[in-house]
Amino acid sequence: MKLPDLKTARVRNQQIVKYYEADILRNENLFKGKKYFLKTYGCQMNVHDSELIKNLVEGLGFIEVDKMEGSDLVILNTCAIRENAHDKVFGFLGRCKHEKEINKNMIVCLCGCMAQEPSVCEEILSKHKYIDLVFGTHNIHELPNMLLNKMSKTDIEVESKEGDVIEGLSYTRDSKIEAWVNIMYGCDKFCTYCIVPYTRGKQRSRKSSYILDEVLKLKNDGYKEVTLLGQNVNAYGKDIEDELSFSELLRKVSQTGIERIRFVTSHPWDFEDSLIEVIAECDNIMPYIHLPLQSGSSRILKLMGRRYTKEEYIALFNKIKSRIPSASLTTDIIVGFPGETEEDFLETLEVVNACKYDSAFTFIFSPRVGTPAEKLPDDVPLKVKEERLHRLNEVINKYSLEANERYIGKTVKVLINGISEKGNNKVCGYTETMKLVNVEGSKDLIGQIVDVEITEAKSFSLNGVAK
Ligand code: SF4
């Protein structure tokens, strides 16, 4: 392969570094026709990071394929939040190892949060030598350089500065209707069970001017919905002097005129009254709020480092509901945190019964290496954790179904975003309150916001007919 000339050396930390300019790499189409396979684990942040990875590797000439076997480049964008995410990744890596014995030139990359866990890196370096590239969430934009480094065996240093917020990146977005927009990276909350502050680093907000430009461009490109993304979006701006607060940012995003605005994820501690007001006042900010509870016991919340009590959480929930009665609220709950007694768990059920969530993501606690909670005795037996999870899910599912049944006979606005998995002549999309609806109607409706009459409710979805 003929490589472009290296850009002249520049100095960083007193070191001479050599690099290829991203634009030159794009124009050279160096890997034209080569095949890449990308697998994404975890949250929306990872899904959106994968949209950036796609844009970078397709810019080099790679073409996406849906099978790892036979591809030239395999990228696993990983998640570190849950133990089973680790297991899945290492399971898939086993297949990659086998494939690489046949296809020796295949490049295997591991990136994302797992790649930023020191213990995982050590394991990879010692036991998984067939993995060619390991990089974290801070230096995805350096992927073209890293690939060239690997392919050419040239010693090019890549930059990785956690404090940077890189602007001007392009994404190959999965949808032409709904788009993710990062508004911040990292998190400063340091909940004791969570690996994110260690893998994604301290909170770094993007400047609001860049966010607003991106939303405006998406609107002009025909996008109907944006979701503002961050680990703790309502702390937006607190790390930059003279920056907008999250509620001020939301209002400005609303003024762009884009039809639908969502945001994830909120922390109850940062949920200010001004945020409730802006959601209530702006019609294009969707009345859907994900408000992680994690535990209903104030004692366990303290051990988790969550900075609110059971009573404060319920008061916030009620304040939101009374100002925005149409809002749907969902949550995250962990069962079996170290030291959780039956009484603590019953307090969690008490909060669920008080809040009657529209739905919830529920998890069994498993310690993440390097977090403070890892050092606490994991003393709730697995059987007890499983039994609590089962009891919790039964209550959550009951309220989900009740919430969905209230939609029967109503006409709601649904943004149709694709063909339904429920069979022919059906499309699907989401209500303003984030309910999945399977709609009888033709695929010409995709991309439109349509009035749908709800005819049937299930625990996890609704059925309806386009009017
Ligand atoms: S606020 Fe969320 S991302 Fe931040 S440390 Fe807590 S659980 Fe993790």
Side-chain angles (χ1 to χ4, degrees), residues 12 32 57 89 160 169 183 229 255 273 343 346 357 413 415:
R12 175 170 65 83
K32 194 167 183 196
V57 296
V89 171
S160 171
L169 299 171
I183 64 165
L229 268 188
Q255 285 161 359
D273 290 356
E343 287 69 36
L346 289 176
Y357 295 104
K413 297 213 174 296
L415 172 54

Side-chain angles (χ1 to χ4, degrees), residues 81 186-197 231-232 265 267 294 306:
I81 301 282
C187 180
D188 287 342
K189 284 288 180 287
F190 288 92
C191 302
T192 58
Y193 53 84
C194 181
I195 194 83
V196 165
Q231 300 292 348
N232 181 14
T265 293
H267 189 301
Q294 308 303 8
R306 289 293 289 175

Side-chain angles (χ1 to χ4, degrees), residues 260-301:
R260 285 182 164 202
I261 302 154
R262 300 188 189 277
F263 57 90
V264 279
T265 293
S266 313
H267 189 301
W269 195 78
D270 289 303
F271 215 104
E272 290 161 4
D273 290 356
S274 58
L275 178 54
I276 302 175
E277 277 314 301
V278 77
I279 302 167
E281 287 168 17
C282 300
D283 288 344
N284 55 351
I285 301 175
M286 296 296 101
Y288 163 69
I289 296 161
H290 187 69
L291 196 67
L293 167 67
Q294 308 303 8
S295 170
S297 155
S298 298
R299 192 181 71 82
I300 295 294
L301 285 169

Side-chain angles (χ1 to χ4, degrees), residues 55-289:
N55 190 274
L56 291 169
V57 296
E58 287 173 12
L60 293 174
F62 281 97
I63 299 164
E64 188 172 15
V65 291
D66 57 10
K67 218 164 82 198
M68 176 269 290
E69 286 79 6
S71 54
D72 301 289
L73 171 65
V74 177
I75 306 170
L76 301 189
N77 188 8
T78 62
C79 167
I81 301 282
R82 317 251 164 243
E83 188 71 39
N84 70 347
H86 267 193
D87 297 346
K88 280 186 195 165
V89 171
F90 280 112
F92 193 83
L93 280 172
R95 280 176 54 196
C96 293
K97 182 181 180 207
H98 178 69
E99 175 66 13
K100 203 157 170 174
E101 283 161 12
I102 307 162
N103 179 4
K104 292 201 170 15
N105 291 328
M106 181 171 92
I107 294 181
V108 180
C109 306
L110 183 100
C111 65
C113 291
M114 250 175 86
Q116 285 178 199
E117 285 182 277
S119 60
V120 174
C121 269
E122 274 167 32
E123 186 177 347
I124 287 166
L125 290 175
S126 59
K127 293 195 203 148
H128 300 270
K129 297 203 161 80
Y130 56 90
I131 300 178
D132 299 283
L133 282 177
V134 181
F135 57 98
T137 54
H138 308 306
N139 51 357
I140 292 173
H141 60 285
E142 295 282 4
L143 178 57
N145 266 327
M146 289 186 262
L147 281 173
L148 275 181
N149 195 1
K150 192 75 216 163
M151 303 284 267
S152 64
K153 302 193 171 44
T154 312
D155 187 18
I156 305 162
E157 190 171 324
V158 293
E159 293 183 70
S160 171
K161 286 184 281 180
E162 184 203 304
D164 281 349
V165 173
I166 312 287
E167 291 295 349
L169 299 171
S170 301
Y171 295 85
T172 300
R173 297 184 188 270
D174 289 339
S175 166
K176 300 263 176 269
I177 304 161
E178 300 150 333
W180 309 106
V181 175
N182 270 327
I183 64 165
M184 63 197 298
Y185 304 93
C187 180
D188 287 342
K189 284 288 180 287
F190 288 92
C191 302
T192 58
Y193 53 84
C194 181
I195 194 83
V196 165
Y198 308 96
T199 56
R200 288 196 175 249
K202 64 182 168 39
Q203 175 175 322
R204 286 106 56 218
S205 300
R206 287 178 71 196
K207 287 219 169 100
S208 53
S209 53
Y210 289 116
I211 297 168
L212 293 167
D213 284 351
E214 186 174 340
V215 173
L216 209 51
K217 184 169 184 313
L218 288 164
K219 178 185 174 251
N220 293 337
D221 288 347
Y223 280 83
K224 292 272 195 297
E225 180 176 300
V226 290
T227 300
L228 307 183
L229 268 188
Q231 300 292 348
N232 181 14
V233 284
N234 42 353
Y236 170 81
K238 292 185 177 175
D239 53 312
I240 308 181
E241 217 171 301
D242 294 330
E243 188 46 278
L244 302 177
S245 67
F246 182 56
S247 51
E248 289 166 338
L249 175 73
L250 260 186
R251 198 175 290 278
K252 295 251 181 204
V253 172
S254 166
Q255 285 161 359
T256 64
I258 191 139
E259 290 191 62
R260 285 182 164 202
I261 302 154
R262 300 188 189 277
F263 57 90
V264 279
T265 293
S266 313
H267 189 301
W269 195 78
D270 289 303
F271 215 104
E272 290 161 4
D273 290 356
S274 58
L275 178 54
I276 302 175
E277 277 314 301
V278 77
I279 302 167
E281 287 168 17
C282 300
D283 288 344
N284 55 351
I285 301 175
M286 296 296 101
Y288 163 69
I289 296 161

